[in-house]
Amino acid sequence: MTERRAILSGSTFEDQIGYARAVIDGDWVHVSGTTGFDYATMTISDDVVEQAEQCLRNIESALAEAGCTFADVVRVRYLLPDRDDFEPCWPVLRRCFGEVRPAATMLVCGLADPRMKIEIEVYARRHTPALGAEPSAH
């Protein structure tokens, strides 16, 4: 049977809305749209670049709990209410994804809270050998 496990971050939104920060489904890790809230304090910066950095810290934590890193990310989606806020975030995003080169999409849309300036969602694939499988010779 394929492993399916929810990863919770402690965000109050997860409990209030009824979702998980990430879901492991076999080799796949689906990380929910993640905003720039610091979940320990439930505070958020007014600066979009600082929000992007916090988004990535939140995502990195979920990926680590799933046994992944940014190197395992195959798809990323960026959601922003203001298209002009995207370019200032590029250096931060490039630090995590520049070598990985996942498929990516940026959408301009409203977000759930007007303080949110960016939301990031990723899909990653874990590279753990199946039970009883021999490691690849490559």
Side-chain angles (χ1 to χ4, degrees):
M1 187 164 134
T2 301
E3 173 191 17
R4 185 178 192 282
R5 179 171 63 94
I7 295 173
L8 303 177
S9 69
S11 163
T12 57
F13 297 126
E14 293 168 2
D15 189 45
Q16 292 168 347
I17 299 169
Y19 72 96
R21 172 63 34 224
V23 174
I24 299 169
D25 186 16
D27 291 339
W28 291 100
V29 180
H30 305 268
V31 180
S32 294
T34 303
T35 63
F37 273 92
D38 177 333
Y39 299 132
T41 61
M42 287 308 291
T43 58
I44 190 166
S45 170
D46 289 333
D47 181 76
V48 69
V49 174
E50 289 176 13
Q51 285 193 27
E53 290 169 339
Q54 185 64 50
C55 287
L56 294 167
R57 283 191 294 273
N58 295 340
I59 290 168
E60 184 175 38
S61 176
L63 289 172
E65 189 169 336
C68 291
T69 68
F70 286 119
D72 298 305
V73 172
V74 297
R75 162 62 101 172
V76 60
R77 283 193 187 90
Y78 305 105
L79 302 101
L80 294 93
D82 183 348
R83 70 176 31 91
D84 292 334
D85 280 343
F86 191 45
E87 191 169 350
C89 296
W90 290 358
V92 172
L93 304 175
R94 191 170 39 249
R95 280 198 299 271
C96 292
F97 300 118
E99 297 295 317
V100 179
R101 305 282 180 145
T105 301
M106 183 278 220
L107 299 168
V108 175
C109 61
L111 298 179
D113 182 315
R115 296 172 292 174
M116 298 171 180
K117 296 183 178 188
I118 186 169
E119 185 168 328
I120 303 172
E121 162 186 283
V122 304
Y123 300 110
R125 186 156 186 220
R126 299 190 302 171
H127 295 285
T128 54
L131 291 177
E134 291 297 318
S136 173
H138 301 178

